Amino acid sequence: MTPEPDRAKPPDETDDISQETARLRLEDELATLQSNGVAQQASNPAASQMKIKSRLVPGPPKGVDITAHFTAACSALETGQLIKDEFFTLFESVGALEIMDPKMDSGFLAPGETLEEDYDVQKDLLPEEVLGIMDQLFCYEMAWHKGYPLSQTLFISVHIDRMLYPEPRELNDTFFSRRDRRTGRLLNPDPFPPGKPRMHYVLWAYILGLIKYCDNVVQRVTSRDYYEEEDFSTHTYGRQLLTRFSEREIDQVLDQVIQSLQSDWRKDDDLTASEEIINTLVSRLELRRALLQVTSPDIPLDQTQDGWNDVAKYLDKVEETHALGRPVKEAFSTKIQRRLASTVPPRPVVELNFALSCRVMNELCQDNLEVVRGTKLQKLGPQEILSFVWAFNSRKPQPLAYSRACLANLVFGNADEFYEELIRRDLADLTLCHSPILDPVNWTIEPSPNPRVPSDNRAVLAEIINTFTARAVQAFLDFWTSLCQNRCRTRRLLCHNLIAFHNLQLDTEVLDQRLHAISPGCLQFPLASWAFHQKLRIMEWVVQLGFEQEIYLPDEYAGMYFWLSTISSTRANLLERILASIQEQHAAVLKPTTTTTNSNDDDDDSASPAPPAALMSTITAIESALHTSRATAALAEALSDIYQLLLYLRAVPLPTRPFGAAALRYELRMKPFLGIDTPRLPPHDEFEAEIMPFGPWDWWANGDEKTTDTPERNDDSNDIHHDGDSSSDGGASLLARPLTDVVGLLTRDVAVLLRDAKAHLAGAKRLGAAAARADSAALCWEREQAATLLACVRTGLLGVQLGRLAERDETELVRCVRQRGVRVILDGDGDDGGGEKGGKEKEKEKEKKKDKTDAQGQSQSQGMGSAWCRVPTVEISDVEATAAQQKT
């Protein structure tokens, strides 16, 4: 078919018509302006050109102060009224604020300041100066590992800036002085001329290894879930971290420089460097090469143990020879931040001292060696892996982002089928131990293709379990993802995992009914019980992490410990139900032993075989978890009673909240548990009734406050419970019992609870870490048990100390409370009850404690037992001495 000819007008004809139309429109607009007297000069092109020309006005510009006029104009506006030009947008307003502000304007120059840095990278360097630059780069590298961006750390180095910009295409293009920044001219075609070697060669090789190592770290961290600028900063500001070059190329450069230092350069008489300096340079290059090799993505994690040991060995040599270096401050400049592709204003440089940087690197080595140890645990059960991951997450100081990324690669480097198998193994370890429901034979039987023909029950069981694992695998993966984050993010994500497992528990009840119809001998609701147990454990961790991260205020401790005790008691009841079912199954296995006939008195081989080892292992594991839950519940309830008593004794400060409602604060605090119906979160009224069993805590606020400043013994000589006048008893009549009875009842309750907690801790310790499925973190488990036992002892001593107050006269005790004779010091950080120590002193003590922790130089795994048990220190002053002092 022949196409029709194009009937459109030619392009030249269309253009002529458009131009003529535009000319006529302009003439009409010009005529309109001229008629209004606006554009008289526009008809004269020469005059228009004369108007365009301008010249600079000599002298400083004249300014007019408009503050008074502006203030007077603003006074005419009403409250809430705003005047805004429609063309003046938010972007323009922010830009106007940034101009000429040195904190916001990256192009602002102080008088006499130049735009470019003045350091000459071609300047000859002494060996000591090269050592100083290397050590300073090492400090910035560790600051980057701590989470600070490259723009505040490594990218302020002039040598790194010359190496990465413009982007090098070949390895020789990475030398510092290859091109002039202004002209782009090649300055040194041969950066390594024959003859005397230069110290630039050593520094160039070191920085090559450093940048490539940073590229490996960024690749590892970004391969898993992380939070930018919260965990780690991967932003490179438009610079490529030598991604086009392989580790082998850079490793060859490092090896060549090391060999040159060890052989050729030692024989060079013109090189003014001692033997000690040469060895120091070699140790730093060896450290850089070891870090480059051990972080290579091509090396599996289970083969990096020797590499991290080498890093620790070279780090010791580097730390010993730090004093030989000479700092070169001019080799680092914040002006480089102006050339980076960033949307934020310049930020101050982050400085870490060399000793702290070495400790950070040592922690990195120890954490990664722990990850390497974890590669050997993948064949163990899911509870063993969980114990290891939780112990790693609990390490103090907290593992760095790179180490947690390596752990995440270890945990998540498998397909979904692997995690479905983990769920089935976890079911076998808890609710379906030695059950035909999880018999591997079930998955070898095909279901009936004909819907009219019923399938084999074993195929139906396999289908039910597959349906459950398919639903649970995402929540299971999210749960493990939460454990590989930083400590604060872990708690936040666990709150989301809690809702996921709660929904899983509700969804699996139908599947449990189908299971029970096919296999009536199994535990009732086995799948929902597994999800319920996971949910309760997450709830415990959320509350315990709140204490560890100091989320709760001291006056909230009593309520949160009560809620933790409720959760742990619920979990213990669930474990008791599971244990009873498994013990019945165990008894059924042993039943033939008691009914066998003794046909031959001398023959002992007629007894039935021993029960399966998995059954016995599950029983001991559940017993260990039961002991731990009971101990946690008892200790948490004892701590709740202690803080209730301290609140009644006015030892814990009650902050004034005039603009807040207690019910709303309670709802906000318990927000992660509002959607959970089992265990049910009590309403606010019931919750207050539980933690205030004898009346309001602030009973003393209704009394006569004059006696606080000048106590008069004659006013308190009568029995304070004879009448209801709060002015004579300091408000004690608001209590349901006398104050001495309150002290006695609560302290006796604490003693009973602690006795129960110690007994359960002894039972768990007797079973050992193997029964708790914590062999992979045995040291952490033992420390947790010891820390929890120590918390029980400290709580018991505090209960005895407070119990002596019950021996006092009621009037004397009331006077003691009104005069704040009982004061509490939480964790020894300072006096939270109005003591002498101020906020600055408490901050100094916290910094000293933090430095002491960092000075240990090695990460240690610490269990939750030492974190959530906030046992206070109480000081009871002499009321008579305090009154005499106040009078004087």
Side-chain angles (χ1 to χ4, degrees):
M1 180 178 180
T2 304
E4 295 183 359
D6 190 3
R7 301 183 182 275
K9 296 181 179 180
D12 52 353
E13 183 180 351
T14 304
D15 294 342
D16 293 342
I17 294 176
S18 301
Q19 293 177 3
E20 182 65 21
T21 304
R23 186 183 64 80
L24 293 175
R25 185 183 299 110
L26 290 176
E27 290 180 354
D28 294 340
E29 293 179 357
L30 181 60
T32 303
L33 293 174
Q34 289 177 350
S35 62
N36 296 332
V38 177
Q40 296 295 331
Q41 301 294 335
S43 59
N44 189 357
S48 301
Q49 294 179 2
M50 292 296 293
K51 290 292 184 180
I52 293 175
K53 295 182 179 180
S54 61
R55 62 184 179 86
L56 296 176
V57 179
K62 296 181 180 180
V64 179
D65 189 4
I66 62 171
T67 304
H69 301 283
F70 189 76
T71 305
C74 290
S75 61
L77 298 177
E78 298 180 358
T79 303
Q81 189 176 1
L82 176 66
I83 297 179
K84 176 184 174 298
D85 187 85
E86 58 179 351
F87 298 105
F88 193 73
T89 62
L90 177 63
F91 178 80
E92 293 169 339
S93 63
V94 174
L97 294 175
E98 291 179 355
I99 294 175
M100 302 306 291
D101 185 356
K103 294 182 179 180
M104 300 295 292
D105 188 1
S106 61
F108 176 80
L109 297 178
E113 184 183 4
T114 60
L115 183 62
E116 298 286 341
E117 62 277 354
D118 300 329
Y119 182 74
D120 184 11
V121 293
Q122 302 183 46
K123 175 184 176 182
D124 291 336
L125 295 174
L126 296 175
E128 293 80 3
E129 293 177 334
V130 174
L131 284 178
I133 295 176
M134 287 180 175
D135 289 349
Q136 188 61 52
L137 287 173
F138 177 74
C139 294
Y140 288 140
E141 175 190 356
M142 294 301 103
W144 178 58
H145 269 293
K146 297 286 286 184
Y148 295 99
L150 288 171
S151 61
Q152 296 177 255
T153 53
L154 288 172
F155 276 6
I156 67 169
S157 170
V158 181
H159 294 91
I160 292 180
D161 181 61
R162 294 294 190 273
M163 176 180 289
L164 298 181
Y165 184 80
E167 182 183 353
R169 302 296 178 179
E170 298 178 358
L171 197 59
N172 287 341
D173 292 342
T174 59
F175 200 71
F176 311 131
S177 58
R178 64 186 189 275
R179 293 183 185 275
D180 185 83
R181 183 172 294 277
R182 296 181 178 86
T183 63
R185 182 174 57 87
L186 190 64
L187 295 176
N188 192 1
D190 187 7
F192 314 119
K196 185 181 73 172
R198 298 183 301 175
M199 284 291 104
H200 293 83
Y201 189 28
V202 179
L203 183 59
W204 172 73
Y206 182 88
I207 296 180
L208 272 181
L210 171 62
I211 298 301
K212 189 59 183 178
Y213 160 78
C214 293
D215 180 55
N216 291 343
V217 171
V218 170
Q219 291 184 32
R220 177 71 73 180
V221 172
T222 55
S223 64
R224 293 302 169 192
D225 295 332
Y226 77 101
Y227 293 87
E228 185 73 23
E229 295 187 0
E230 177 182 313
D231 289 330
F232 196 71
S233 179
T234 61
H235 192 19
T236 60
Y237 304 96
R239 305 293 170 88
Q240 297 295 324
L241 302 179
L242 303 180
T243 54
R244 64 173 62 246
F245 304 106
S246 63
E247 289 88 357
R248 180 179 300 178
E249 296 179 78
I250 300 177
D251 185 73
Q252 290 176 355
V253 173
L254 288 168
D255 187 65
Q256 180 182 356
V257 175
I258 291 174
Q259 292 180 1
S260 299
L261 283 172
Q262 292 176 340
S263 59
D264 301 339
W265 289 19
R266 295 179 187 273
K267 303 175 183 179
D268 192 351
D269 297 333
D270 296 333
L271 183 62
T272 58
S274 61
E275 186 77 14
E276 186 179 13
I277 294 294
I278 296 298
N279 293 333
T280 302
L281 291 172
V282 170
S283 63
R284 280 154 175 76
L285 292 174
E286 291 282 4
L287 174 64
R288 188 51 55 199
R289 183 172 64 175
L291 283 171
L292 179 63
Q293 293 175 352
V294 79
T295 57
S296 175
D298 299 332
I299 300 179
L301 290 176
D302 55 352
Q303 300 179 11
T304 58
Q305 181 174 0
D306 295 338
W308 287 112
N309 288 329
D310 292 341
V311 170
K313 179 180 66 175
Y314 294 128
L315 180 62
D316 294 338
K317 297 180 181 179
V318 169
E319 190 173 6
E320 294 172 358
T321 57
H322 170 63
L324 299 177
R326 182 184 302 175
V328 184
K329 295 183 179 180
E330 56 271 17
F332 303 91
S333 175
T334 56
K335 296 180 181 180
I336 301 177
Q337 293 184 357
R338 299 168 177 170
R339 297 194 296 269
L340 300 177
S342 175
T343 58
V344 298
R347 296 179 178 178
V349 177
V350 180
E351 298 281 354
L352 291 184
N353 60 63
F354 188 77
L356 179 58
S357 300
C358 291
R359 287 199 293 269
V360 173
M361 176 56 76
N362 192 19
E363 294 167 8
L364 184 66
C365 294
Q366 299 300 327
D367 292 340
N368 282 278
L369 286 173
E370 187 71 9
V371 173
V372 174
R373 191 176 70 87
T375 58
K376 305 174 183 178
L377 305 175
Q378 290 187 340
K379 297 182 179 179
L380 299 178
Q383 291 303 315
E384 289 281 357
I385 301 176
L386 178 61
S387 299
F388 172 80
V389 174
W390 182 251
F392 186 87
N393 185 272
S394 305
R395 290 170 72 89
K396 301 294 181 181
Q398 182 176 312
L400 298 175
Y402 178 79
S403 302
R404 286 187 274 111
C406 292
L407 178 66
N409 276 274
L410 171 64
V411 175
F412 301 106
N414 302 280
D416 289 348
E417 291 77 9
F418 172 77
Y419 303 104
E420 293 181 2
E421 177 62 25
L422 272 185
I423 295 175
R424 288 192 290 268
R425 289 164 62 184
D426 202 9
L427 287 170
D429 291 341
L430 184 64
T431 60
L432 293 176
C433 180
H434 197 61
S435 173
I437 297 177
L438 296 178
D439 192 347
V441 179
N442 299 345
W443 279 263
T444 63
I445 300 176
E446 295 290 339
S448 174
N450 191 349
R452 296 182 179 181
V453 178
S455 301
D456 193 308
N457 286 339
R458 291 172 294 179
V460 176
L461 292 175
E463 179 189 357
I464 295 174
I465 297 299
N466 288 338
T467 303
F468 171 75
T469 54
R471 294 180 183 178
V473 66
Q474 187 59 48
F476 196 66
L477 281 173
D478 292 341
F479 170 67
W480 287 92
T481 303
S482 304
L483 300 183
C484 296
Q485 304 299 323
N486 63 73
R487 204 69 168 160
C488 297
R489 181 61 63 172
T490 294
R491 184 183 184 274
R492 182 181 180 88
L493 293 179
L494 284 178
C495 295
H496 299 287
N497 303 146
L498 176 60
I499 302 300
F501 276 102
H502 176 68
N503 295 332
L504 178 65
Q505 176 191 354
L506 299 179
D507 293 341
T508 55
E509 293 182 357
V510 178
L511 299 178
D512 281 329
Q513 294 175 1
R514 294 178 59 190
L515 281 180
H516 195 69
I518 299 175
S519 179
C522 67
L523 173 71
Q524 191 175 11
F525 300 107
L527 303 181
S529 299
W530 178 86
F532 188 34
H533 181 263
Q534 299 288 334
K535 181 181 72 172
L536 291 173
R537 181 166 53 187
I538 292 175
M539 293 176 70
E540 283 186 359
W541 285 349
V542 168
V543 178
Q544 290 172 343
L545 285 173
F547 287 104
E548 178 185 339
Q549 297 169 13
E550 300 181 356
I551 294 177
Y552 314 131
L553 294 176
D555 62 303
E556 296 177 314
Y557 284 179
M560 297 312 298
Y561 278 124
F562 166 75
W563 178 234
L564 176 61
S565 175
T566 302
I567 298 171
S568 299
S569 299
T570 306
R571 184 184 173 210
N573 295 334
L574 173 65
L575 291 173
E576 284 182 349
R577 183 172 66 87
I578 296 174
L579 181 61
S581 175
I582 297 179
Q583 286 176 343
E584 291 179 2
Q585 184 179 358
H586 178 260
V589 174
L590 295 179
K591 188 175 182 181
T593 305
T594 60
T595 58
T596 53
T597 57
N598 191 4
S599 58
N600 188 357
D601 296 337
D602 298 330
D603 188 6
D604 295 333
D605 296 335
S606 60
S608 63
L615 208 58
M616 297 299 300
S617 176
T618 301
I619 290 176
T620 55
I622 295 178
E623 287 178 349
S624 177
L626 181 59
H627 282 304
T628 303
S629 298
R630 288 298 185 193
T632 301
L635 179 56
E637 188 175 354
L639 287 172
S640 177
D641 290 345
I642 285 291
Y643 279 99
Q644 290 175 29
L645 179 57
L646 292 175
L647 286 164
Y648 279 122
L649 295 177
R650 202 183 178 184
V652 176
L654 287 175
T656 58
R657 301 181 177 99
F659 303 107
L664 295 179
R665 290 195 304 270
Y666 174 74
E667 180 181 354
L668 181 62
R669 176 61 68 209
M670 297 299 186
K671 186 177 181 179
F673 315 106
L674 292 178
I676 308 301
D677 52 6
T678 308
R680 183 183 69 92
L681 182 68
H684 177 254
D685 295 338
E686 297 181 11
F687 186 78
E688 278 197 344
E690 291 289 345
I691 62 178
M692 298 180 183
F694 302 104
W697 290 332
D698 55 348
W699 57 269
W700 39 265
N702 297 324
D704 186 8
E705 294 296 332
K706 292 182 180 181
T707 57
T708 303
D709 299 329
T710 307
E712 298 180 5
R713 299 175 58 87
N714 295 333
D715 293 342
D716 299 321
S717 58
N718 298 327
D719 189 357
I720 64 174
H721 286 283
H722 286 175
D723 53 34
D725 187 6
S726 62
S727 62
S728 62
D729 61 5
S733 60
L734 297 177
L735 298 177
R737 303 287 294 271
L739 189 57
T740 52
D741 292 352
V742 172
V743 175
L745 290 173
L746 288 178
T747 52
R748 285 193 293 271
D749 192 19
V750 167
V752 174
L753 291 170
L754 292 178
R755 192 180 306 115
D756 189 18
K758 292 177 183 178
H760 286 293
L761 286 175
K765 185 177 181 181
R766 183 175 60 255
L767 294 175
R773 308 283 172 85
D775 267 341
S776 57
L779 182 60
C780 177
W781 184 85
E782 293 174 359
R783 287 175 178 170
E784 180 177 354
Q785 297 297 314
T788 308
L789 181 60
L790 178 61
C792 290
V793 174
R794 290 184 57 193
T795 307
L797 294 176
L798 179 57
V800 173
Q801 181 185 6
L802 295 175
R804 297 194 184 102
L805 294 175
E807 302 174 359
R808 297 190 179 188
D809 182 68
E810 179 74 14
T811 304
E812 180 184 357
L813 182 57
V814 171
R815 184 186 302 111
C816 178
V817 172
R818 294 181 61 190
Q819 296 179 0
R820 302 184 68 91
V822 183
R823 298 182 302 162
V824 62
I825 302 175
L826 295 174
D827 297 336
D829 289 339
D831 189 359
D832 292 324
E836 298 178 356
K837 291 186 179 180
K840 293 184 179 180
E841 294 184 5
K842 291 190 288 184
E843 292 297 331
K844 290 181 180 179
E845 291 188 7
K846 288 183 180 180
E847 291 295 332
K848 290 181 180 179
K849 185 184 296 185
K850 183 178 182 298
D851 294 340
K852 184 178 180 181
T853 303
D854 294 339
Q856 295 176 356
Q858 182 176 357
S859 298
Q860 295 181 355
S861 298
Q862 297 182 357
M864 287 296 299
S866 60
W868 65 269
C869 302
R870 311 300 295 270
V871 184
T873 302
V874 174
E875 294 179 356
I876 303 177
S877 60
D878 189 355
V879 179
E880 301 298 333
T882 303
Q885 184 179 4
Q886 290 178 352
K887 287 183 178 181
T888 57

